[in-house]
């Protein structure tokens, strides 16, 4: 596991704890290397990606602290688990496959998606259920 040095020590401790907890709770078949990158994005708190070789990267806003940081990391770890299990696949930046059903999003549609509708996407429902259940 490699965590970006742009996080503060207190953030690194929270990130490590959230990852350890998630790896204990969630199936992670074939996970090789995990990187945690930081972002200054004010649009997204975090996102996850899996490469073909089994390496995973989660990118987390460095503005997050405390419980919000823990929950965000756990949420993104859920997506890593979904990718590894084969339930979720990012086809490209506009299409996702969830359990063999393709969801298509134009940039405008994703931008205008309300939080309520976003949270109802099946992969997001699972991630929110797991991460928010930790608090």
């Amino acid at each position: 596991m490699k965590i970006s040095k742009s996080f503060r020590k207190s953030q690194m401790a929270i990130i490590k704890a959230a990852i350890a907890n998630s790896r204990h709770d969630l199936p992670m078949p074939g996970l090789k290397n995990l990187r945690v990158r930081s972002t200054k994005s004010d649009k997204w708190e975090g996102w996850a990606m899996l490469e073909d070789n089994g390496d995973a990267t989660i990118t987390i806003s460095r503005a997050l602290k405390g419980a919000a940081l823990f929950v965000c990391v756990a949420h993104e770890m859920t997506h890593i688990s979904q990718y590894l299990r084969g339930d979720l696949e990012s086809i490209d930046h506009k299409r996702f496959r969830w359990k063999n059903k393709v969801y298509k999003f134009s940039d405008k549609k994703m931008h205008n998606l309300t939080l309520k509708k976003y949270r109802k996407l099946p992969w997001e429902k699972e991630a929110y259920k797991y991460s928010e259940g930790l608090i």
Side-chain angles (χ1 to χ4, degrees):
M1 174 174 48
K2 184 176 179 180
I3 301 174
S4 170
K5 293 181 182 179
S6 61
F7 289 108
R8 290 182 228 75
K9 282 186 179 182
S10 59
Q11 289 173 305
M12 284 191 184
I14 292 167
I15 291 167
K16 287 177 183 177
I19 289 170
N21 193 79
S22 299
R23 291 189 79 165
H24 176 267
D25 292 346
L26 301 169
M28 299 278 175
L31 178 62
K32 292 187 179 175
N33 298 304
L34 176 64
R35 289 185 305 269
V36 182
R37 297 175 43 202
S38 69
T39 181
K40 292 180 182 179
S41 174
D42 57 353
K43 185 176 180 182
W44 301 100
E45 290 183 342
W47 60 88
M49 295 179 356
L50 181 69
E51 297 171 23
D52 291 337
N53 65 358
D55 289 354
T57 302
I58 58 173
T59 304
I60 303 294
S61 170
R62 71 180 100 156
L64 294 174
K65 299 173 188 167
L69 176 59
F70 190 95
V71 167
C72 184
V73 171
H75 180 101
E76 297 310 326
M77 289 297 290
T78 306
H79 292 315
I80 296 298
S81 176
Q82 292 166 341
Y83 283 127
L84 290 166
R85 294 185 330 242
D87 290 343
L88 179 62
E89 178 187 358
S90 177
I91 300 169
D92 56 38
H93 69 284
K94 294 182 182 182
R95 296 180 299 155
F96 291 90
R97 181 178 292 120
W98 174 256
K99 296 185 177 180
N100 295 320
K101 181 178 178 186
V102 175
Y103 291 78
K104 298 177 186 177
F105 301 101
S106 66
D107 290 337
K108 185 177 180 181
K109 184 175 179 182
M110 277 301 281
H111 183 72
N112 292 328
L113 202 59
T114 65
L115 181 58
K116 186 176 179 179
K117 287 182 179 179
Y118 178 76
R119 290 178 66 119
K120 286 185 178 183
L121 294 169
W123 58 91
E124 291 299 338
K125 280 174 73 171
E126 180 181 322
Y128 278 108
K129 182 178 178 183
Y130 172 69
S131 62
E132 290 176 351
L134 296 172
I135 354 184

